[in-house]
Amino acid sequence: MLCPLISKKEVQKESKQARDTDTETHIKTPTCMDNFFRKLAKLVLGEKHESKKTIIVKGKVVLMKKSLLDFNDLGASVLDRAHEFFGQHISIQFISATQAEAGSSDKRLKGKLGEPAILEDWNSTVTPLTAEESTYEVTFNWGEEMGLPGAFIVKNLHHSQFYLMTLTLDDVPGYGQVHFVCNSWVYPAENYKNNRIFFTNKAYLPSETPELLRPYREDELEILRGNGTRMLEEWDRVYDYALYNDLGDPDDKKNVRPVIGGSSEYPYPRRGRTGRRPTKSGMFRFHYESELYKFTCESEICEFHCESEIWEFHSESEICEFHYPKTESRLLLIESYKIYVPRDERFGHLKRSDFLGYGLEAILKFLLPEFKSLTDQTLDEFDNFEDFMKLYKGGIKLAEGHALNDILKDVPLQTFKELLRSDGEGLSRYSIPKVIEADPLAWNTDEEFAREMIAGLNPVVIKLLKEFPPTSNLDEKVYGNQKSSIRSHHIEEHLDGLDVQEVIKANRLFILDHHDSLMPYVRRLNETSSKIYATRTILLLEKDGTLKPIAIELSLPHPDGDHLGAISKVCTPAKDGVEATVWRLAKAYVAVCDSGVHQLISHWLNTHACIEPFIIATNRHLSVLHPIHKLLHPHFRDTMNINASARVVLINAGGILERTFFTGPYSIEICSKIYKNWVFPNQALPKDLILRGMAIEDSSSRHGLRLLIEDYPYAVDGLEIWSAIKTWVEDYCKFYYKDDNMVLKDTELQSWWKEVREEGHGDLKDEPWWPTMSSIQDLVDNCTIIIWVSSALHAAVNFGQYPYAGYPPNRPTLTRRLIPEPTTNDYKELKDDPQKVFLKTVTPQLQSLLSVSLIEILSRHTSDEIYLGQRECPEWTMDAEPLKAFEKFGEKLKEIEERVVKMNEDQRLKNRYGPAKVPYTLLLPSSEEGLTGRGIPNSVSI
């Protein structure tokens, strides 16, 4: 035997060590001969001459292997095993936070690198069929000079990527257990130019970071920022900014859309950059002698300069195919999964499976009724209200019994578990929306119509009416007189014997105003298949605390030009005859306007779009070691992924939103115009309520505000959640920042906030309202707003979609004709068949089914949802005080939930329940999986 002092097992293990020539990650495994000479030296020179004492430290690595939905990718598994067999392992190498490396290639002081060790027993560890956690042991030869490990390098020499969850060292000499929370995909080493480094879950401000870890911290941020070039690949970890220039297609005349963002005309928040090629926009023949064009050619790639714009050419002889650099090429729908999002921002395997399952189910529900409708006389219409109810009663039934149960046992995919329900529910059957579950007719009452403005899916628009008649802020030079046509005589009979000024003074008149935001687009929208009005709705606060609509104004631009002002019709409540039909239609026009504003502004713009720049800036400038990164990171989960998907199928030209909402091809353009008025500090709930006149400051009231509508469910519950978030953020931030000077001197924090303003929301960078980042209070206020918007605000405007809009007559998304004039033939229908008039006016069948299918997906909680007050990993920080503060936050949320449940049972609070008997649960913190109409996820995750 060549080396009698070393076991055969050790020799086999050492022979499999991965090799690398890189200076920092070089895996120098002691060979049998190395150990032989070391032990020989001990015998000759004595034990005292052994330079370093080495002990064994055991660790455990938890990871998930690459999966295809819920199934392991068997091909990848086989290849990984082959790589393992031939000595290409997964290795881990620690970086000391307390002991310096002898020398560094870039002359920076860095932590000492420990000896690499490999994950043991990869091939012998049985991995479950479904994507689940696997645990591997790893053994380190720990030199006492290593000290405290502050980070580690992981090198993946396998064929496939894996999801690294945690690494725990059991007993580090002098320090005990050390835990690393990773939660990141690690691709094969060949995909990276730099090492994959993971840091301990101890939080450090930049100035307090151990000196030996600082270079690694700085280098990691540089990697995440990227260099702004080339198309990004799935393994890239780059966070960068781009305009919304991938929604339209200049090659298709029907789908030409302006670039949104980057201009004063179309300002917008930035989205994540993908680096895809620009679009083609035509073919032309170029001539070398032309004086109008200047270009330089290298091989077949040319740059064409014309009026400061750069065009890229791909030439074949004299015919050039050119690309417009301002517009990014689109992906086909079938390729939507390929859109670049940093890998760690993508859906986890459970959510991806759920999302696909819900999508397939929605497609079935959408298509099957369409096939049935082929026999209908009116193919594009619901013939009557009973047709709507069939959506919730019909469907293809699955046979119950042993056969179905046997199938379900063998189907691990959450996708098919959702489609093949064990209760035999029909595949094309929609769940009954809450708004019609208890009473199918209550949605049509004036009381429920008004209640949903403060307790429905868009309770963030209604405001106090401070002057009568309502006024307009539109430029009179452009739009003429846009003041309201509503006068005292329209509403006095509903004011309990008071005159208008008395009611105004008593703070009893409110308005849902969709006039100014839509009027500039009404003329263009009415040239499409949509026919809408700009609306104003006046409501009276009754003595019992409920709201009653008392007038609706329907406005159109003057037929002879916008500058001539508005032509308006004022509708008032009526019980019988044509007037009752007109009033019902007026409420439908209001609901349509509110549906569009809700989806485009309250939901998409104010939560999804406006949060994305904060996510990008956080990853570019706040290290994972930074306490504010640890605070905010859970509130960014899945947002970039869902936003990227939205750009491909929802908000893009010809996408679902344009097809189902009245805003059509002008959807994102309208959104851009309204973004001009977005103000970050006003997203704070207390500030928002005060600005809308829904509350006034009152130090004697709970949370320092007195609500003018005491039973305003969104505000009552929202203020409780807001206060809990703010207290948690304050406790957390004050642990790390002892004075304002620490905030000012935090280089990462200041760079982060500067880039949020100047890049992420760069079109508004010069606005005076931007808060500073110069004190602990600034930090607390700004972080509270970010968390509120990402969690509670999004929950309030998202998860009520199906409960209220799942029944299309309650929340139609478009109208197809205006109210008939008395002299027309259609006017006679108002008398003879009011139901038919209503159904011919609101969203047709095709768009209704598509809309309901969409919002059913968007209103669901997936099986891996993480809610406010929860964390993905209980050991997300090593700092004890923040952990205690977070526990206190969770307990506070439980108390709030109990209080809300009791309020929903209080019959005196009529707005919490309403005629439709739908309790207000949208701001209950917890939820189960599925369509629950409750629960506050940590992030904008759907």
Side-chain angles (χ1 to χ4, degrees), residues 81-96:
R81 288 171 180 269
H83 281 67
E84 187 74 17
F85 182 79
F86 287 106
Q88 294 177 280
H89 305 291
I90 295 170
S91 67
I92 292 174
Q93 187 175 22
F94 279 102
I95 302 169
S96 176

PDB file of all heavy atoms in Angstrom, residues 81-96:
ATOM      1  N   ARG A  81     -25.347  13.265 -12.175  1.00  0.00           N
ATOM      2  CA  ARG A  81     -24.740  12.088 -11.556  1.00  0.00           C
ATOM      3  C   ARG A  81     -23.471  11.676 -12.312  1.00  0.00           C
ATOM      4  O   ARG A  81     -22.486  11.249 -11.711  1.00  0.00           O
ATOM      5  CB  ARG A  81     -25.741  10.941 -11.527  1.00  0.00           C
ATOM      6  CG  ARG A  81     -26.850  11.152 -10.516  1.00  0.00           C
ATOM      7  CD  ARG A  81     -27.957  10.110 -10.646  1.00  0.00           C
ATOM      8  NE  ARG A  81     -28.990  10.349  -9.663  1.00  0.00           N
ATOM      9  CZ  ARG A  81     -29.021   9.809  -8.441  1.00  0.00           C
ATOM     10  NH1 ARG A  81     -28.029   9.007  -8.076  1.00  0.00           N
ATOM     11  NH2 ARG A  81     -29.987  10.079  -7.608  1.00  0.00           N
ATOM     12  N   ALA A  82     -23.520  11.830 -13.623  1.00  0.00           N
ATOM     13  CA  ALA A  82     -22.336  11.495 -14.420  1.00  0.00           C
ATOM     14  C   ALA A  82     -21.192  12.441 -14.101  1.00  0.00           C
ATOM     15  O   ALA A  82     -20.039  12.028 -13.939  1.00  0.00           O
ATOM     16  CB  ALA A  82     -22.687  11.557 -15.910  1.00  0.00           C
ATOM     17  N   HIS A  83     -21.499  13.746 -14.001  1.00  0.00           N
ATOM     18  CA  HIS A  83     -20.473  14.723 -13.635  1.00  0.00           C
ATOM     19  C   HIS A  83     -19.885  14.386 -12.267  1.00  0.00           C
ATOM     20  O   HIS A  83     -18.666  14.463 -12.054  1.00  0.00           O
ATOM     21  CB  HIS A  83     -21.069  16.134 -13.616  1.00  0.00           C
ATOM     22  CG  HIS A  83     -21.219  16.745 -14.968  1.00  0.00           C
ATOM     23  ND1 HIS A  83     -22.098  16.261 -15.908  1.00  0.00           N
ATOM     24  CD2 HIS A  83     -20.600  17.815 -15.541  1.00  0.00           C
ATOM     25  CE1 HIS A  83     -22.020  16.993 -17.003  1.00  0.00           C
ATOM     26  NE2 HIS A  83     -21.124  17.944 -16.815  1.00  0.00           N
ATOM     27  N   GLU A  84     -20.752  14.007 -11.358  1.00  0.00           N
ATOM     28  CA  GLU A  84     -20.301  13.670 -10.008  1.00  0.00           C
ATOM     29  C   GLU A  84     -19.362  12.467 -10.049  1.00  0.00           C
ATOM     30  O   GLU A  84     -18.330  12.433  -9.374  1.00  0.00           O
ATOM     31  CB  GLU A  84     -21.524  13.381  -9.131  1.00  0.00           C
ATOM     32  CG  GLU A  84     -21.226  13.169  -7.666  1.00  0.00           C
ATOM     33  CD  GLU A  84     -20.886  14.455  -6.932  1.00  0.00           C
ATOM     34  OE1 GLU A  84     -21.183  15.550  -7.461  1.00  0.00           O
ATOM     35  OE2 GLU A  84     -20.313  14.361  -5.823  1.00  0.00           O
ATOM     36  N   PHE A  85     -19.726  11.483 -10.840  1.00  0.00           N
ATOM     37  CA  PHE A  85     -18.917  10.263 -10.942  1.00  0.00           C
ATOM     38  C   PHE A  85     -17.522  10.564 -11.468  1.00  0.00           C
ATOM     39  O   PHE A  85     -16.538   9.950 -11.033  1.00  0.00           O
ATOM     40  CB  PHE A  85     -19.629   9.258 -11.857  1.00  0.00           C
ATOM     41  CG  PHE A  85     -18.898   7.948 -11.999  1.00  0.00           C
ATOM     42  CD1 PHE A  85     -18.972   6.976 -11.009  1.00  0.00           C
ATOM     43  CD2 PHE A  85     -18.116   7.700 -13.124  1.00  0.00           C
ATOM     44  CE1 PHE A  85     -18.297   5.780 -11.133  1.00  0.00           C
ATOM     45  CE2 PHE A  85     -17.426   6.505 -13.252  1.00  0.00           C
ATOM     46  CZ  PHE A  85     -17.523   5.532 -12.257  1.00  0.00           C
ATOM     47  N   PHE A  86     -17.416  11.521 -12.389  1.00  0.00           N
ATOM     48  CA  PHE A  86     -16.126  11.851 -12.983  1.00  0.00           C
ATOM     49  C   PHE A  86     -15.414  12.988 -12.249  1.00  0.00           C
ATOM     50  O   PHE A  86     -14.510  13.630 -12.776  1.00  0.00           O
ATOM     51  CB  PHE A  86     -16.301  12.218 -14.458  1.00  0.00           C
ATOM     52  CG  PHE A  86     -16.588  11.034 -15.328  1.00  0.00           C
ATOM     53  CD1 PHE A  86     -17.866  10.828 -15.822  1.00  0.00           C
ATOM     54  CD2 PHE A  86     -15.594  10.102 -15.620  1.00  0.00           C
ATOM     55  CE1 PHE A  86     -18.143   9.726 -16.626  1.00  0.00           C
ATOM     56  CE2 PHE A  86     -15.873   8.999 -16.418  1.00  0.00           C
ATOM     57  CZ  PHE A  86     -17.154   8.801 -16.918  1.00  0.00           C
ATOM     58  N   GLY A  87     -15.818  13.228 -11.005  1.00  0.00           N
ATOM     59  CA  GLY A  87     -15.071  14.149 -10.162  1.00  0.00           C
ATOM     60  C   GLY A  87     -15.437  15.608 -10.300  1.00  0.00           C
ATOM     61  O   GLY A  87     -14.732  16.476  -9.784  1.00  0.00           O
ATOM     62  N   GLN A  88     -16.526  15.912 -10.987  1.00  0.00           N
ATOM     63  CA  GLN A  88     -16.966  17.301 -11.119  1.00  0.00           C
ATOM     64  C   GLN A  88     -18.069  17.544 -10.092  1.00  0.00           C
ATOM     65  O   GLN A  88     -19.238  17.263 -10.335  1.00  0.00           O
ATOM     66  CB  GLN A  88     -17.451  17.581 -12.544  1.00  0.00           C
ATOM     67  CG  GLN A  88     -16.318  17.500 -13.567  1.00  0.00           C
ATOM     68  CD  GLN A  88     -16.820  17.703 -14.972  1.00  0.00           C
ATOM     69  OE1 GLN A  88     -17.364  16.787 -15.593  1.00  0.00           O
ATOM     70  NE2 GLN A  88     -16.642  18.905 -15.492  1.00  0.00           N
ATOM     71  N   HIS A  89     -17.667  18.091  -8.956  1.00  0.00           N
ATOM     72  CA  HIS A  89     -18.535  18.171  -7.789  1.00  0.00           C
ATOM     73  C   HIS A  89     -19.118  19.572  -7.603  1.00  0.00           C
ATOM     74  O   HIS A  89     -18.828  20.497  -8.358  1.00  0.00           O
ATOM     75  CB  HIS A  89     -17.740  17.808  -6.533  1.00  0.00           C
ATOM     76  CG  HIS A  89     -17.057  16.483  -6.602  1.00  0.00           C
ATOM     77  ND1 HIS A  89     -17.738  15.286  -6.591  1.00  0.00           N
ATOM     78  CD2 HIS A  89     -15.730  16.164  -6.684  1.00  0.00           C
ATOM     79  CE1 HIS A  89     -16.876  14.284  -6.657  1.00  0.00           C
ATOM     80  NE2 HIS A  89     -15.653  14.785  -6.722  1.00  0.00           N
ATOM     81  N   ILE A  90     -19.910  19.672  -6.554  1.00  0.00           N
ATOM     82  CA  ILE A  90     -20.313  20.964  -6.016  1.00  0.00           C
ATOM     83  C   ILE A  90     -19.437  21.207  -4.791  1.00  0.00           C
ATOM     84  O   ILE A  90     -19.415  20.394  -3.862  1.00  0.00           O
ATOM     85  CB  ILE A  90     -21.794  20.975  -5.618  1.00  0.00           C
ATOM     86  CG1 ILE A  90     -22.671  20.808  -6.855  1.00  0.00           C
ATOM     87  CG2 ILE A  90     -22.146  22.269  -4.878  1.00  0.00           C
ATOM     88  CD1 ILE A  90     -24.120  20.564  -6.544  1.00  0.00           C
ATOM     89  N   SER A  91     -18.681  22.297  -4.816  1.00  0.00           N
ATOM     90  CA  SER A  91     -17.743  22.551  -3.723  1.00  0.00           C
ATOM     91  C   SER A  91     -18.088  23.846  -3.004  1.00  0.00           C
ATOM     92  O   SER A  91     -18.702  24.758  -3.568  1.00  0.00           O
ATOM     93  CB  SER A  91     -16.313  22.637  -4.263  1.00  0.00           C
ATOM     94  OG  SER A  91     -16.164  23.784  -5.077  1.00  0.00           O
ATOM     95  N   ILE A  92     -17.676  23.907  -1.753  1.00  0.00           N
ATOM     96  CA  ILE A  92     -17.903  25.076  -0.908  1.00  0.00           C
ATOM     97  C   ILE A  92     -16.584  25.467  -0.263  1.00  0.00           C
ATOM     98  O   ILE A  92     -15.854  24.616   0.256  1.00  0.00           O
ATOM     99  CB  ILE A  92     -18.964  24.785   0.171  1.00  0.00           C
ATOM    100  CG1 ILE A  92     -20.332  24.600  -0.511  1.00  0.00           C
ATOM    101  CG2 ILE A  92     -19.023  25.894   1.209  1.00  0.00           C
ATOM    102  CD1 ILE A  92     -21.427  24.166   0.429  1.00  0.00           C
ATOM    103  N   GLN A  93     -16.300  26.757  -0.283  1.00  0.00           N
ATOM    104  CA  GLN A  93     -15.042  27.274   0.240  1.00  0.00           C
ATOM    105  C   GLN A  93     -15.347  28.513   1.078  1.00  0.00           C
ATOM    106  O   GLN A  93     -15.896  29.490   0.566  1.00  0.00           O
ATOM    107  CB  GLN A  93     -14.099  27.619  -0.916  1.00  0.00           C
ATOM    108  CG  GLN A  93     -12.698  28.007  -0.506  1.00  0.00           C
ATOM    109  CD  GLN A  93     -11.800  28.201  -1.720  1.00  0.00           C
ATOM    110  OE1 GLN A  93     -12.298  28.441  -2.836  1.00  0.00           O
ATOM    111  NE2 GLN A  93     -10.500  28.108  -1.535  1.00  0.00           N
ATOM    112  N   PHE A  94     -15.015  28.487   2.340  1.00  0.00           N
ATOM    113  CA  PHE A  94     -15.363  29.592   3.234  1.00  0.00           C
ATOM    114  C   PHE A  94     -14.388  30.753   3.131  1.00  0.00           C
ATOM    115  O   PHE A  94     -13.214  30.591   2.788  1.00  0.00           O
ATOM    116  CB  PHE A  94     -15.434  29.103   4.685  1.00  0.00           C
ATOM    117  CG  PHE A  94     -16.737  28.430   4.993  1.00  0.00           C
ATOM    118  CD1 PHE A  94     -16.810  27.051   5.055  1.00  0.00           C
ATOM    119  CD2 PHE A  94     -17.886  29.182   5.175  1.00  0.00           C
ATOM    120  CE1 PHE A  94     -18.016  26.429   5.304  1.00  0.00           C
ATOM    121  CE2 PHE A  94     -19.094  28.568   5.431  1.00  0.00           C
ATOM    122  CZ  PHE A  94     -19.167  27.191   5.491  1.00  0.00           C
ATOM    123  N   ILE A  95     -14.936  31.932   3.436  1.00  0.00           N
ATOM    124  CA  ILE A  95     -14.151  33.170   3.494  1.00  0.00           C
ATOM    125  C   ILE A  95     -14.202  33.666   4.930  1.00  0.00           C
ATOM    126  O   ILE A  95     -15.283  33.869   5.493  1.00  0.00           O
ATOM    127  CB  ILE A  95     -14.718  34.241   2.548  1.00  0.00           C
ATOM    128  CG1 ILE A  95     -14.748  33.708   1.110  1.00  0.00           C
ATOM    129  CG2 ILE A  95     -13.921  35.523   2.639  1.00  0.00           C
ATOM    130  CD1 ILE A  95     -15.530  34.602   0.153  1.00  0.00           C
ATOM    131  N   SER A  96     -13.051  33.883   5.520  1.00  0.00           N
ATOM    132  CA  SER A  96     -12.994  34.318   6.909  1.00  0.00           C
ATOM    133  C   SER A  96     -13.367  35.792   7.041  1.00  0.00           C
ATOM    134  O   SER A  96     -12.973  36.626   6.215  1.00  0.00           O
ATOM    135  CB  SER A  96     -11.601  34.087   7.479  1.00  0.00           C
ATOM    136  OG  SER A  96     -11.518  34.599   8.797  1.00  0.00           O
TER     137      SER A  96
END
